[in-house]
Amino acid sequence: MPESGTTSKMLAQTNNYVPKQPTHIECSIEKTLDAIGGKWSFLVLRELFGGTKRFGELQKKIKAISPKSLTETLRHLEEEGVLERTAYPTVPVTVEYTLTPKGQDLHQILKEMKLWAAKWS
C-alpha cells in the first residue's frame, strides 16, 4: 500500500535526522553558582540558616561587607527565589529576610563545603 505524502515526509525526516552539535552544554553547577551569586552570598546564607534577620543584624554579623554589597547580594538572592524580603509599615520601615524552601535546600550543600574546607585547609 502506498504511503501518504505526509507519512513519507515524516519518514524521510526521521531517517535523515542528524543530531545537532551543541555550542554550549548547560551545567547544573554553573546554574547553582549563578543562583547563589557572588562571594557575599555564602555568608548571608550562613546567617539566614539561623533564622530570619534584619538588614542591620546581617551587617553586624558580616563585618567586612559594605551596605551597598549587602543590598546587592540580598536583591540578587531575592530575585533568584533563595530568600524572601518582608517589609513592615513602621517608621522607619522594618525589613526582614527569610530563606525560602529553595534557600533552605542549600543548607546541606554549604555544610559539606564547610567540612571540605576543614579537611583540606
Side-chain angles (χ1 to χ4, degrees), residues 15-31:
N15 293 334
N16 294 326
Y17 177 73
V18 178
K20 296 178 196 175
Q21 294 298 321
T23 56
H24 176 74
I25 299 173
E26 291 190 37
C27 173
S28 297
I29 294 171
E30 185 179 346
K31 285 181 174 183

Side-chain angles (χ1 to χ4, degrees), residues 59-120:
Q59 198 169 19
K60 285 178 189 172
K61 294 281 188 176
I62 309 168
K63 297 184 187 326
I65 194 168
S66 69
K68 181 183 177 195
S69 293
L70 180 56
T71 299
E72 289 172 358
T73 300
L74 291 167
R75 283 185 184 151
H76 175 79
L77 292 171
E78 182 183 11
E79 287 169 6
E80 292 294 326
V82 173
L83 63 79
E84 179 173 79
R85 178 184 186 272
T86 306
Y88 298 96
T90 58
V91 179
V93 175
T94 302
V95 179
E96 293 181 338
Y97 298 91
T98 307
L99 290 176
T100 62
K102 182 178 179 178
Q104 287 289 346
D105 226 18
L106 292 165
H107 199 186
Q108 188 60 39
I109 295 167
L110 295 183
K111 276 185 184 177
E112 291 297 323
M113 290 174 70
K114 186 178 178 180
L115 289 172
W116 182 88
K119 181 177 179 179
W120 293 103

Side-chain angles (χ1 to χ4, degrees), residues 10-56:
M10 288 174 56
L11 287 173
Q13 288 173 345
T14 304
N15 293 334
N16 294 326
Y17 177 73
V18 178
K20 296 178 196 175
Q21 294 298 321
T23 56
H24 176 74
I25 299 173
E26 291 190 37
C27 173
S28 297
I29 294 171
E30 185 179 346
K31 285 181 174 183
T32 303
L33 292 174
D34 286 344
I36 293 172
K39 69 178 187 176
W40 297 112
S41 297
F42 291 99
L43 300 177
V44 169
L45 289 169
R46 178 194 67 194
E47 295 306 320
L48 292 177
F49 288 136
T52 300
K53 301 274 187 299
R54 293 182 182 176
F55 186 92

